[in-house]
Every structure is written in structure tokens, then in C-alpha cells.
Amino acid sequence: MSKGEFISLLGILGLAARFVNGQLEPDCNPLHADCPTKNAWPEDNYYIDFTKETGPPENWIIANNEVVKFTAQGAEFTYGKRGDAPNMWTDFYMLGGRYDAVMQIAPGQGIISNAILSSDIQDEIDWEFSGNQHGEKPFPPPDGKWTVGTNIYSQGQMWDGAATYQKDAYKPTTQFHTYSVEWDENHMNWYVDNQVVRSVQASSIPAGSIFPQSPMKLQLGVWAGGDPANNYWTIQWAGGEIDMKGAPYTMVVRSVNITNKYPAENSR
Ligand SMILES: *[C@@H]1O[C@H](CO)[C@@H](O)[C@H](O)[C@H]1NC(C)=O
């Protein structure tokens, strides 16, 4: 398989995987129902240093029955046993702007770490990281070139895909890096350590797609793409069945900085 084919497969299978795990489902979709109003962030900035927190911080919602630990390292999302899917999201929404998340992704075959902007009408701008580089061989990539999922959804419909990032000694499972998404009515950019790895202009999106334009919350988490109950292609996409030998597998997020382009009072 060529790198190009591999990358387009990533996009397609990413979609299947996420539906399997139900992560795309908002609790209420205002396109199809009357939903309760949500909090739009009224400020132009929100910053949190998770290394200073000792328990679940204000403004974050932890998924039911899941555990996120707050230690001197930051917010820790651990896959330690079958069924774990630790994740949390902001209780407020941003409209345009940028976020920077300083994080170290979880290692492990079949383990997916993610940072996702998602809206109640199923717009999404994703980062998805595989703990074993989606099973590509050799692993770790000797050229330091990692493939990073950067899917986009508008109203639940995906257009792909992936970006690659290369830097001397880039080791996302053992080093902290800054992952950012910048998004407004004109463009989306994904950055690793402030270098653009993918850029999409609103003026050149695929025919039939809608540029994401609804308020987004930020969701961070780890899930088991390689759970043996998932379908075959999801498991392949995730790099293979979970290998418990190296468990627990932990993603650590040190800090999040959100710049909100259109704070609530000033929104259009
Ligand atoms: C957050 O991001 C903004 C915009 O880039 C920057 O001005 C600010 O210094 C950052 N805050 C922290 C604490 O890093």
C-alpha cells in the first residue's frame, strides 16, 4: 500500500470507527429537535494548566463512568482494561478561533488518542493519533514521520483525511508537543508545534460539503479502536487488536489554551 492509499483509508475507516464507538452522537441535535440552550464562552480566552489541578476542574465534563486523573503531569487519560474510554469535554462552546493543547499521546497497539472540536449539529474538526502509527511497519517510523488523522465532519458527513508530520526525533508517545487547530469562517489550520501540517480554505471544500460553522466544544480522550468487538476494518485502522502487554496506556494533556474569535456577547 502506498502512503497515499494508506492515508485515504485512514479517512474512510476513521469514520466507521467513530460511529462504532458512538463518539459523534451529540446528546441533542438542534437540526432535528428542540434542544436546551448551551453555554457559549463569553471571553476571548480560556486557559487551563491541568498540572495545577487535583480533581476534575470547573468547565469540564468527564464522561459517565470514566476516570480522568489530575496529577503533576497533567490530565491523565488511561486505558487500563477492556471497556475503558476516558474522555472529557468543555461545558462551553467556542465560535471560531484556535486552541492549543500540550499533550503526549497514548502508546499502544489499537489505542487512539484524540482532541476533537465538535458541535451539536455534528460538525467536527479532529486530531486522531494512533499509538502504533496505525500498524505501519517499521514502528516507530525511522524517519520520524507520523501520520496524524485530521478528519472534518460537517453535519455528520465526513470529508477526509490525514496529515503527516515530520521532525527530527518526533516521538508523540514519549514527548509533549503542542497540537493546535485554528478555525474561522474562512479556513482551518492544524498545527504541530506551531507548524502548519494541514490547511483547508472555505473557498475550496469538496462539492456538496458545508464548511463547519457551528459553535464547538473541545473533547479530549482515549478509546480502544482495536477492541476485539469492533469490526475488522476498524481494528485494522487502529493498528491492530489491543495488546494488553504494554498496558496501561496513558495520554497526558498538560494544558489547553482556547482563543475564542467570537465571544458570546459579540457573536453574529
Ligand atoms: C493563549 O493563546 C493566546 C493567543 O495565541 C496567547 O496570547 C496567550 O499568551 C496564550 N496563553 C497562555 C497562558 O499561554
Side-chain angles (χ1 to χ4, degrees):
M1 202 186 312
S2 75
K3 193 110 189 170
E5 283 166 334
F6 175 70
I7 287 172
S8 59
L9 193 65
L10 274 183
I12 294 161
L13 297 176
L15 175 68
R18 300 285 303 290
F19 273 119
V20 163
N21 286 271
Q23 290 186 306
L24 276 170
E25 286 299 315
D27 42 1
C28 184
N29 183 333
L31 290 180
H32 308 305
D34 274 337
C35 297
T37 51
K38 300 289 180 64
N39 294 333
W41 192 244
E43 310 291 335
D44 56 16
N45 182 247
Y46 168 87
Y47 177 79
I48 186 161
D49 177 349
F50 290 121
T51 70
K52 302 215 164 82
E53 303 293 328
T54 51
E58 227 186 306
N59 299 123
W60 292 83
I61 297 169
I62 296 176
N64 284 342
N65 307 315
E66 299 293 345
V67 176
V68 179
K69 273 207 228 158
F70 296 87
T71 72
Q73 303 304 305
E76 298 192 7
F77 303 77
T78 297
Y79 182 91
K81 62 176 188 323
R82 200 154 174 217
D84 286 350
N87 67 101
M88 67 179 190
W89 55 90
T90 56
D91 70 357
F92 61 85
Y93 291 63
M94 64 185 284
L95 184 59
R98 169 174 171 142
Y99 77 83
D100 305 294
V102 179
M103 55 194 250
Q104 177 178 286
I105 72 163
Q109 177 169 308
I111 300 288
I112 306 294
S113 299
N114 56 32
I116 296 172
L117 285 175
S118 81
S119 84
D120 286 357
I121 63 167
Q122 298 183 296
D123 287 346
E124 272 192 39
I125 312 173
D126 295 350
W127 279 118
E128 285 198 286
F129 306 90
S130 157
N132 70 337
Q133 176 66 351
H134 300 277
E136 266 195 300
K137 300 277 191 308
F139 180 80
D143 56 2
K145 193 173 210 165
W146 280 68
T147 303
V148 187
T150 57
N151 285 342
I152 301 160
Y153 296 81
S154 53
Q155 301 184 13
Q157 282 202 318
M158 191 194 68
W159 82 80
D160 73 319
T164 54
Y165 182 64
Q166 183 164 35
K167 188 182 174 189
D168 286 345
Y170 175 63
K171 296 189 180 90
T173 62
T174 55
Q175 299 167 338
F176 284 87
H177 291 279
T178 303
Y179 300 96
S180 312
V181 166
E182 186 178 71
W183 152 66
D184 67 11
E185 60 277 48
N186 300 314
H187 77 294
M188 293 179 265
N189 281 344
W190 288 255
Y191 300 86
V192 179
D193 297 329
N194 288 311
Q195 287 191 300
V196 178
V197 297
R198 185 179 181 203
S199 191
V200 171
Q201 304 303 311
S203 54
S204 59
I205 63 174
S209 297
I210 303 167
F211 197 76
Q213 51 191 264
S214 54
M216 305 269 200
K217 61 188 177 187
L218 176 61
Q219 181 162 357
L220 304 168
V222 166
W223 62 281
D227 188 277
N230 289 347
N231 73 48
Y232 174 82
W233 290 109
T234 301
I235 294 170
Q236 296 311 299
W237 169 79
E241 274 196 18
I242 302 277
D243 174 3
M244 291 305 290
K245 281 200 293 291
Y249 300 114
T250 301
M251 169 176 101
V252 186
V253 182
R254 205 179 262 167
S255 64
V256 164
N257 186 8
I258 294 174
T259 310
N260 187 18
K261 184 167 179 180
Y262 297 108
E265 296 101 331
N266 305 325
S267 57
R268 293 162 294 176

